[in-house]
Amino acid sequence: MCDEFREHLGKGRALRTDGIHPPGDAPAGPDPTDASLLTQLGLSPRESAVYRLLVDRPDSDPAALADRSTGPAAEVARALDILVERGLANADRTDESAPRYRAASPVLALGPLLESRRTALYRVESLVADLAERHRSAQAHATGAPIEVLSGAAAIRRRLLLMQDQAVGEVCTMLPLRRVPAVLTFEENHDEVEHEMARRGVVMRSVLERDWLESPATASALASYVAEGQHIVVADKVPIKLIIVDRRIALLPLDPEREGEPVALVVHRTGLLTALGSLFDEYFEKGWRLRAADTGPGPDGPGKSRLDAVDRQIVALLHVGLTDAAIARQLGMGHRTVQRRLHALMEEVGAATRFQLGWHAARSGWLDETPANPPESHHG
């Protein structure tokens, strides 16, 4: 058995006892099928080959790394200098002999490059999706199809943003309160496109269901939108979620109560689009105008100077139909405090009912007297 073992060793390669693998005794090295993968991270083919070989052969000089895959020693030396510059290798120049190189940790060295490429690919993926949606919209417009069907939250979200990006004069929205999750909340929509629309001079008009104001955070956000120039009115109930852009295109859900994958209809210039526009106009004209939160007493006028900022907010919220409890939550005060201030106002003006207080508030200029429906914007 010993003779057979010696004979086998004799036919094989000699073993080194200094811990350094002779050429060919190192691990198998790069798989030829993977040879170009690191070039996806910005390395040249030679740099990739040298780095992969250096991982298996630490403390090597350029001559030790020169082979058929990496090229001559001079080219290897240049590649090693680039790897050192990029933080992918370290050079030991402690003696006068040729420097020896050691590969940096692949996780630490290549991880940031991988993350950068991953981020870039995500941006490209988003661009492709956006181009696909724009292509689909343009094709539908070119063929004259009166209605499109969109399936999936991602497709609906992209179309909503695209429609508003292309708005010229006016964007009208209706927003009921639904249990079904929104594909795009109005906070997200504000951050994504509304600042840019305001910069372009696009008029934004909205009809919201009153129940949205039950949340203090939502009510505060809406008040800030009004302060930025949006026109928002409140209705007892809003029948359908709807957006109309420039009176030329609209989007609404196929089934508002659908709990699975959402499906939406895109309506182009048709009688249906005209009907949807009329539906919006009716609700907007009959709604209660939402005002921005007052920061101080109103301008002088009959009855205005006697109303402080808090009472003005209470009366305005009462006017749009909020309960005492909802007003208290929104203003961050106690329920009884709101009731006490309302009763004091009623006694001051001689009102026996809250309806009479509301009438007096409107007559005395305590409420916004601007009509809910502003002049029509000019758009194509």
Coordinates of all heavy atoms in Angstrom, one line a residue, residues 30-40 43-50 52 69:
P30 N -11.1 31.3 -10.6 CA -12.4 31.7 -11.2 C -13.0 30.7 -12.2 O -12.3 30.1 -13.0 CB -12.0 33.0 -11.9 CG -10.6 33.4 -11.3 CD -10.0 32.1 -10.9
D31 N -14.3 30.6 -12.0 CA -15.0 29.8 -13.0 C -15.1 30.6 -14.3 O -15.5 31.7 -14.2 CB -16.4 29.5 -12.4 CG -17.2 28.6 -13.3 OD1 -16.9 28.5 -14.5 OD2 -18.2 28.1 -12.8
P32 N -14.7 30.0 -15.4 CA -14.7 30.8 -16.6 C -16.1 31.4 -16.9 O -16.2 32.4 -17.5 CB -14.3 29.7 -17.7 CG -13.5 28.7 -16.9 CD -14.1 28.7 -15.6
T33 N -17.1 30.7 -16.5 CA -18.5 31.2 -16.8 C -18.8 32.5 -16.0 O -19.7 33.2 -16.3 CB -19.5 30.1 -16.5 OG1 -19.5 29.8 -15.1 CG2 -19.3 28.9 -17.3
D34 N -18.0 32.7 -14.9 CA -18.2 33.9 -14.0 C -17.2 35.0 -14.2 O -17.1 35.9 -13.5 CB -18.2 33.5 -12.5 CG -19.3 32.5 -12.2 OD1 -20.3 32.5 -12.9 OD2 -19.2 31.8 -11.2
A35 N -16.3 34.8 -15.2 CA -15.2 35.6 -15.4 C -15.5 37.1 -15.6 O -14.8 38.0 -15.2 CB -14.3 35.2 -16.6
S36 N -16.7 37.4 -16.2 CA -17.0 38.8 -16.5 C -18.0 39.4 -15.5 O -18.4 40.5 -15.6 CB -17.7 38.8 -17.9 OG -18.9 38.1 -17.9
L37 N -18.4 38.7 -14.4 CA -19.4 39.2 -13.5 C -18.9 40.5 -12.8 O -19.7 41.4 -12.6 CB -19.8 38.1 -12.4 CG -20.6 37.0 -13.0 CD1 -20.9 36.0 -11.9 CD2 -21.9 37.4 -13.6
L38 N -17.7 40.5 -12.4 CA -17.2 41.7 -11.6 C -17.1 43.0 -12.6 O -17.1 44.1 -12.1 CB -15.9 41.5 -11.0 CG -15.8 40.5 -9.8 CD1 -14.5 40.4 -9.2 CD2 -16.9 40.9 -8.8
T39 N -17.1 42.7 -13.9 CA -17.1 43.9 -14.8 C -18.5 44.6 -14.6 O -18.6 45.8 -15.0 CB -16.9 43.5 -16.2 OG1 -18.0 42.6 -16.6 CG2 -15.6 42.8 -16.4
Q40 N -19.5 43.9 -14.1 CA -20.8 44.6 -13.9 C -20.7 45.7 -12.8 O -21.6 46.5 -12.7 CB -21.9 43.6 -13.5 CG -22.1 42.5 -14.5 CD -22.5 43.0 -15.9 OE1 -23.3 43.9 -16.0 NE2 -21.8 42.5 -17.0
L43 N -15.3 47.1 -12.9 CA -14.0 46.7 -13.1 C -13.7 46.3 -14.5 O -14.7 45.8 -15.2 CB -13.6 45.5 -12.2 CG -13.2 45.8 -10.7 CD1 -14.4 46.3 -10.0 CD2 -12.7 44.5 -10.1
S44 N -12.5 46.5 -15.0 CA -12.2 46.1 -16.4 C -12.0 44.6 -16.3 O -11.8 44.0 -15.3 CB -10.9 46.7 -16.9 OG -9.8 46.2 -16.2
P45 N -12.0 43.9 -17.5 CA -11.8 42.4 -17.5 C -10.5 42.0 -16.8 O -10.4 41.0 -16.1 CB -11.8 42.0 -19.0 CG -12.7 43.1 -19.6 CD -12.4 44.3 -18.8
R46 N -9.4 42.8 -17.1 CA -8.1 42.5 -16.5 C -8.1 42.7 -15.0 O -7.7 41.9 -14.2 CB -7.0 43.3 -17.1 CG -5.6 42.8 -16.7 CD -4.5 43.7 -17.3 NE -4.6 43.9 -18.7 CZ -4.2 43.0 -19.6 NH1 -3.6 41.8 -19.2 NH2 -4.3 43.2 -20.9
E47 N -8.7 43.8 -14.5 CA -8.8 44.1 -13.1 C -9.6 43.0 -12.4 O -9.3 42.5 -11.3 CB -9.4 45.4 -12.9 CG -8.6 46.6 -13.3 CD -9.4 47.9 -13.5 OE1 -10.6 47.9 -13.2 OE2 -8.8 48.8 -14.1
S48 N -10.7 42.6 -13.0 CA -11.5 41.5 -12.5 C -10.7 40.2 -12.3 O -10.8 39.6 -11.3 CB -12.8 41.3 -13.4 OG -13.5 40.1 -12.9
A49 N -10.0 39.8 -13.4 CA -9.2 38.6 -13.3 C -8.1 38.7 -12.3 O -7.9 37.7 -11.5 CB -8.6 38.3 -14.7
V50 N -7.4 39.8 -12.2 CA -6.4 40.0 -11.2 C -6.9 39.9 -9.8 O -6.3 39.2 -8.9 CB -5.6 41.3 -11.4 CG1 -4.6 41.6 -10.3 CG2 -4.8 41.2 -12.7
R52 N -9.7 38.5 -8.7 CA -10.2 37.1 -8.4 C -9.0 36.2 -8.1 O -9.1 35.4 -7.2 CB -11.0 36.6 -9.5 CG -12.4 37.3 -9.7 CD -12.9 37.2 -11.1 NE -13.2 35.7 -11.3 CZ -14.4 35.2 -11.0 NH1 -15.4 35.9 -10.5 NH2 -14.6 33.9 -11.3
S69 N -4.9 34.3 -18.0 CA -6.2 35.1 -17.8 C -5.9 36.6 -17.5 O -6.7 37.4 -17.7 CB -7.0 34.5 -16.7 OG -6.3 34.5 -15.5

